Amino acid sequence: MTRVHPQGEKPLRWGLQGKLILSMLLVGLVPLLVGLYMAFLQGTREIEEVSGASFTGLADETARKLDLVLGEEVTKTAQIASNLHVVQALERRRDQLLDLSDEQRQARITKEAQAWQEQILAVAEPVLTGRLADLLRQYHGGTDGAPGHPVTVVTRSATLALFITDQAGVLLASLNSLPAYAHASEPWWQGAFNHGVGKPFVENITFDPRFEAYTVTLSLPIMDGIRYQAIGVLHRVYDAQELLAPSIYPIRFGKTGHVMLIDSEGMVLSCPILPTGTRLADEALIPLVTPTQPGWVRAPSDGHGGTLKSIIGFSTLPETSRMTRDSTNRNWHTFVWQSSEELFAPVNHLLSWIAVFGLVALGLLVTLGYVASSRIVTPIRRLQEAARLIGRGELKEPMTIKTGDEIEDLADEINRMNAQLEIAFAGLTDQVEFKSQEVAYLQKVTDQILNNISTPIVMFDQEERVLYANQAAKEAFGLTEADFERAGLFDLLPVTDTARARLRHELQAQRIRSEAPSESAGTRVPSSSPSEIRDPLSPVATGTPGTDRPELPIGPRTYRYEWLRISGRLGEPDRIGLSFRDMTEEILMQDRLIQAEKSGSLGVLSAGIGHELNNPLFGILGLGEAIQEESDLSKAKAFARDIVQHGRRMATTIRDFTGMVSVGGRKQWVPVDLNEQLDQALQLAQRDPEGATLDIHRNYQPLPKIDAIPDELRQAFLNVIVNSVQATGGKGQLTLTTDCQGDRITVTIRDTGPGIQKAHLTKIFDPFFTTKGQGEGSGLGLTVAHRIVTKYGGRMHIDSEEGQGTVCRMTFPLQPSS
């Protein structure tokens, strides 16, 4: 880890001591944190399981207790419904109603209901003070009013109302005046009467405005004496809170732990915290806590409005749920809960203590880590300081470290190394002084060698500033030391704009090539360009293809140049140089040699030219005589046209012949199409009788033009073709091919002659060397062709195999040669 110094001067890094302390902290803290986490998970899991089991047992026990309470209420109510006096009274009522028609029965019920509502004693008194009412009070333990007057019974315990109806739902007896008179349309009456079959019916808990309380009702059918059919219904109304709270409210544990009663729809029936009649806040919690079997669950919420995960125990009321399920399709369940903060307080308390112990352990680790790292880092720092002194040559006394381990061994090795270095440096000083004298001597000798070379050499840097010029360059180009300071290379060389642009292009290529890691100074660098870098002192084989360099006119002289590369000093880029060779006299001699070869070839071409001139000449003479004797003007004109054609043919032959002997200078260089010159050379060769019988194949590709003298290129092609014609004796095949690849044009001339012996291939470009008989050749044809090709920066190469023929390839660069 690297930190930036506030002033930006030096980066700050973690020292070895800091890394050791950090490593010890990581080694100690990681197990500690893992242990804390595992202890927390295990403690939480155990508390969940223990609490869940406890909550399940509490919920199940409370459910059984509530079942007993509700079962007792059902039993008490069933005793009233099976009382003999109640049954006989309802049987008499049944018999009275059987004597009436449906209209009479309905009219009577309506009239009595009106009277009950208006508290008419004739109807109200029998209901409230009759024998059945007395019986209800006897079972319930109520208080009587004055005889002969309606009374209102003040109920005890949880019963709010208790009354009896007949088989038509008409009120017959009641503890108080709160009930309505007709109940045949009430759901509880229809459920309990059950079409005369009868069954217990328990209504859902609802808010009853008559009693201003949440109530739960119990309705039992009153069966006839033989228990064949229902003849009435006994209906009992309970205050839900008063009925259920005594069995639920006393059950509290901790500050928040309690039990409550809910139905399968999530409605609260009784709870010390939530009001009766509300629903659980989390709908997703309801199916989790209302299974038919007791258990506990890790709930996503607590059902009391909290969103923390909670442990909830639950159990169904089996006996009560059978009645409620048959009545309203709902089950009743107990719900045991305690807040998560209180439930998991022991674990959190344990975690806090463990965290405190962890901080204490962290402090101990830091202290021990500092002490341990100091024992390691202190001797290492001494070793570091010793190494720094050795680097400056200032460690005079051996250092002493006593640790009894590898650090002490390392200190001993450093002491031995220091002693060896002192001995080595003592001898090295003398060697350095000697080497510096040797370098100065070599530098002086190199300067003398370069100044005694007749070849001009100029060296310059990447910015084209001239750094060195030998004596030959200063004399050839008129350079002085003052010129080096005020001008660059191309300002000092008096060359044309075209030549300067070409040199800059080649210099850029040499810069790119000099950066290649595979190249090394002092060696030739293979290149497709004619201007390639080489060591100016390395020997060059004469006649090797590609050794000739392009020409550069400087003033009245003509030079051929080569690019050089010189290794720079340590940390500096390589330098580039140019070596020049004065070719003025050699070029003049070469031009004279080419002209001499042209003149010498006239003897070879004379027979063909004489044949070419004699044929049209005889034709002209014959047509002239015919015109003199012809009287028909149209025929005379036709003869005249033929004479003109023969004359043009003779003029073409004479023009080609005179072109072979003309002398061309550099000013005559023009863009030349090599395909065209190759064709013209072939036409000249075919005028020889042997050349006219060859099987010629042309395979020309479109070529860009190059700058040259057309006659010289045509002469080079003609010399090679004439050699092929003479080698085949006019019998065989001659194939001419041209191609352009990259920045090179290749002209290939292939024959099917007898080939050249391998021993002669190394001499074919030597002047006056020939394999022909005495008087059959001058030995200058291929020499002249080779010099013409190299004059334009090209290469000429001949491959031959005895009995298979000969292939001559001439390659020319695309860039101009001047």
Side-chain angles (χ1 to χ4, degrees), residues 1-19 381:
M1 177 178 176
T2 303
R3 296 172 293 167
V4 179
H5 193 273
Q7 298 180 352
E9 297 178 356
K10 185 179 180 181
L12 301 177
R13 300 174 298 173
W14 281 97
L16 178 60
Q17 188 172 15
K19 292 180 180 178
R381 286 177 178 170

Side-chain angles (χ1 to χ4, degrees), residues 656-690:
D656 293 340
F657 177 74
T658 56
M660 291 293 297
V661 297
S662 62
V663 179
R666 184 175 297 276
K667 295 182 179 179
Q668 295 179 346
W669 286 24
V670 295
V672 177
D673 185 345
L674 295 182
N675 287 337
E676 181 181 341
Q677 299 306 317
L678 186 60
D679 247 353
Q680 291 181 9
L682 178 63
Q683 292 174 10
L684 290 173
Q686 285 182 314
R687 288 170 181 163
D688 185 273
E690 291 181 347

Side-chain angles (χ1 to χ4, degrees), residues 142-164:
T143 59
D144 296 336
H149 294 280
V151 297
T152 299
V153 176
V154 180
T155 62
R156 296 183 303 171
S157 73
T159 303
L160 298 177
L162 179 62
F163 55 89
I164 299 173

Side-chain angles (χ1 to χ4, degrees), residues 228-402:
Y228 174 72
Q229 66 177 1
I231 55 177
V233 174
L234 176 62
H235 185 68
R236 195 167 194 170
V237 180
Y238 296 96
D239 184 334
Q241 192 72 1
E242 293 294 331
L243 177 65
L244 302 174
S247 301
I248 293 176
Y249 280 26
I251 305 175
R252 298 297 294 268
F253 49 95
K255 295 181 179 179
T256 59
H258 66 279
V259 180
M260 67 179 185
L261 182 66
I262 63 173
D263 65 11
S264 55
E265 297 296 327
M267 179 181 290
V268 177
L269 305 181
S270 180
C271 179
I273 298 176
L274 299 178
T276 302
T278 59
R279 290 177 61 86
L280 296 181
D282 188 358
E283 294 288 340
L285 182 62
I286 297 174
L288 298 178
V289 297
T290 56
T292 58
Q293 297 297 325
W296 65 277
V297 66
R298 298 181 183 89
S301 62
D302 57 16
H304 291 67
T307 56
L308 295 178
K309 292 184 178 180
S310 302
I311 303 299
I312 298 174
F314 52 83
S315 179
T316 185
L317 281 65
E319 300 299 330
T320 303
S321 294
R322 272 196 291 270
M323 289 190 297
T324 57
R325 186 167 54 250
D326 290 341
S327 302
T328 59
N329 199 29
R330 294 188 184 184
N331 295 333
W332 287 13
H333 304 267
T334 52
F335 182 109
V336 180
W337 170 81
Q338 186 179 21
S339 67
S340 298
E341 292 86 351
E342 185 178 4
L343 182 64
F344 295 106
V347 175
N348 296 330
H349 186 67
L350 175 62
L351 188 63
S352 300
W353 275 106
I354 294 177
V356 172
F357 293 147
L359 292 176
V360 174
L362 177 62
L364 291 175
L365 284 173
V366 172
T367 304
L368 294 175
Y370 178 79
V371 173
S373 62
S374 296
R375 294 180 61 84
I376 297 174
V377 172
T378 300
I380 290 178
R381 286 177 178 170
R382 291 185 60 190
L383 291 174
Q384 183 182 13
E385 180 62 26
R388 188 180 298 110
L389 293 175
I390 291 175
R392 296 200 299 261
E394 298 177 1
L395 184 62
K396 303 303 182 182
E397 297 293 333
M399 57 182 171
T400 302
I401 295 178
K402 298 297 182 181

Side-chain angles (χ1 to χ4, degrees), residues 19 38 92 197 223 232 282 465 487 580 603 605 610 721 740 789 804:
K19 292 180 180 178
M38 295 299 295
R92 288 193 297 271
V197 177
M223 307 301 290
D282 188 358
R465 293 193 304 268
F580 300 88
L605 299 176
I721 294 174
C740 180
V789 171
Q804 300 296 326

Side-chain angles (χ1 to χ4, degrees), residues 177-246:
S177 58
L178 291 178
Y181 191 76
H183 301 276
S185 60
E186 295 292 336
W188 58 263
W189 191 91
Q190 295 178 358
F193 190 74
N194 194 22
H195 305 288
V197 177
K199 70 174 182 178
F201 188 91
V202 179
E203 271 191 306
N204 292 328
I205 292 180
T206 57
F207 183 78
D208 193 332
R210 296 175 301 173
F211 304 105
E212 296 183 352
Y214 281 91
T215 63
V216 59
T217 66
L218 174 61
S219 302
L220 297 179
I222 301 174
M223 307 301 290
D224 58 12
I226 60 175
R227 304 194 65 84
Y228 174 72
Q229 66 177 1
I231 55 177
V233 174
L234 176 62
H235 185 68
R236 195 167 194 170
V237 180
Y238 296 96
D239 184 334
Q241 192 72 1
E242 293 294 331
L243 177 65
L244 302 174

